[in-house]
Amino acid sequence: ELGLGRGSFTVYYSLMTASGAASIPLLGQVIQKKGVRLIAGISAAWVSLGFLAFSLAGSLWVFYAAGAWIGVFGTACVSLCASIIVQQSYSGSRASGVLGIVMAGSGVGGMLVSLFLPGLIQELGWRWSYRILAVCWLILGICAVVLLGNGSKRAVTRSDAPADGMTRSQALRSPKLYLLLTVSFILSAACGIQQQLPSVLSGHGFAPERVGVLMSFFTAALALGKIVQGLFYGKTGAVRGGIAVIGLFAASFALLLFPGLTWLGLPALAVGMGTVTTLMPLITRLTFGNREYAAIWGIVYSAANAGTLIAAPLFGLSYDLSGSYGGSMVASSALLVGSMALMHLCFREKR
């Protein structure tokens, strides 16, 4: 109806990601001062209005504007708030396990929406489907605000990070922040392959039906992989465990170069992609402590969104220029190995 093709969707996705990357550092500061509950309430109303705007869109530009609007308090904001709540509520190894379970919820939610949304669109049309999504988001947001209560402002106490820690201004003067920004950017940039994964599998000669099965397997592995990561970090520690998982992430690209190793590469890739929202919050807290964790994590998470924004179209461009994803996959693997070195450098000396 609006002439929204693949190229148009890429523009929409880029605008949504860019607005999220720009807003997250500010949201982190607000959460640091006012608590999560305020941002959760604003997000409930803000995103609901965005979905409503989608349903009323009469032109492509309105659709783009709604996407940019939603990005400000959308999925990136939800992940930001969720990680902060977990860090406020749990300590030690329990925080790792709970964070993995919570972050797996985004994958489960995406699977559920993908199951019922196509039928809803077929029965009611896409405009009414967006209106229903707006109501659902508002209801869930209100429930979140009620459940959060006043505890969302509680000070963070963790056994594996000093109670004092750094302020945001001190972190901005620390070289370690920029090392973690680079690691966060690389991890998220490597996740850009997800949009091209069906094409990668088709290029390996898998039939469309087989590609669908493999993508379903991959989606399930994304959710399960975050839970496994959280438990793993609780046993090994975030630094040693994180370096190992990033190594697995790098190896997944090498495995996916060979059709016969796809069954190994897909779950390895799924586990590695969970590092952005499962590993990096733990590493940020471990590095900078408790004092202004929310504000500092907002900066680090913004770099992750920037990585997604830049890398996602580059994977497609690489294929257009070379006729293969091999070059971009080898480059991703090399960058991930480099991020392992940066992680080691960050923790080589005591803070």
Side-chain angles (χ1 to χ4, degrees), residues 61-74:
W61 295 108
V62 175
F63 200 85
Y64 288 158
W69 172 277
I70 285 178
V72 176
F73 282 95

Side-chain angles (χ1 to χ4, degrees), residues 143-156:
C143 291
V145 171
V146 173
L147 291 173
L148 282 170
N150 294 320
S152 58
K153 292 185 180 181
R154 187 172 60 220
V156 180

Side-chain angles (χ1 to χ4, degrees), residues 15-84:
L15 288 171
M16 185 172 65
T17 305
S19 62
S23 66
I24 285 174
L26 178 60
L27 295 180
Q29 293 185 68
V30 174
I31 291 172
Q32 186 67 49
K33 295 178 181 179
K34 303 295 184 180
V36 178
R37 194 182 189 191
L38 172 65
I39 297 300
I42 294 174
S43 174
W46 187 281
V47 177
S48 295
L49 287 174
F51 283 139
L52 185 61
F54 275 141
S55 74
L56 300 174
S59 68
L60 203 56
W61 295 108
V62 175
F63 200 85
Y64 288 158
W69 172 277
I70 285 178
V72 176
F73 282 95
T75 53
C77 173
V78 172
S79 296
L80 175 71
C81 292
S83 63
I84 291 171

Side-chain angles (χ1 to χ4, degrees), residues 210-232:
R210 184 68 170 173
V211 171
V213 171
L214 289 171
M215 288 303 299
S216 297
F217 167 70
F218 174 75
T219 303
L222 277 173
L224 182 60
K226 293 177 183 179
I227 298 175
V228 172
Q229 270 193 76
L231 297 174
F232 181 61

Side-chain angles (χ1 to χ4, degrees), residues 11 25 28 37 39-40 68 99 102 106 131 134 147 171 176 190 204 211 250 254 292 332:
V11 173
R37 194 182 189 191
I39 297 300
L99 184 62
V102 170
S106 61
R131 289 164 190 159
L147 291 173
K176 291 190 175 184
H204 283 341
V211 171
E292 293 190 6
S332 297

Side-chain angles (χ1 to χ4, degrees), residues 273-348:
M273 288 178 63
T275 53
V276 176
T277 54
T278 305
L279 171 65
M280 292 311 297
L282 300 172
I283 290 295
T284 301
R285 166 53 56 68
L286 192 60
T287 306
F288 299 107
N290 303 313
R291 182 177 295 178
E292 293 190 6
Y293 164 75
I296 298 170
W297 170 233
I299 299 172
V300 176
Y301 194 40
S302 178
N305 279 261
T308 301
L309 175 66
I310 294 173
L314 289 181
F315 276 100
L317 179 62
S318 172
Y319 181 84
D320 291 338
L321 294 176
S322 66
S324 169
Y325 291 104
S328 58
M329 293 171 73
V330 170
S332 297
S333 184
L335 287 171
L336 288 168
V337 171
S339 72
M340 294 169 62
L342 293 177
M343 183 86 76
H344 175 74
L345 179 64
C346 186
F347 288 93
R348 186 177 60 182

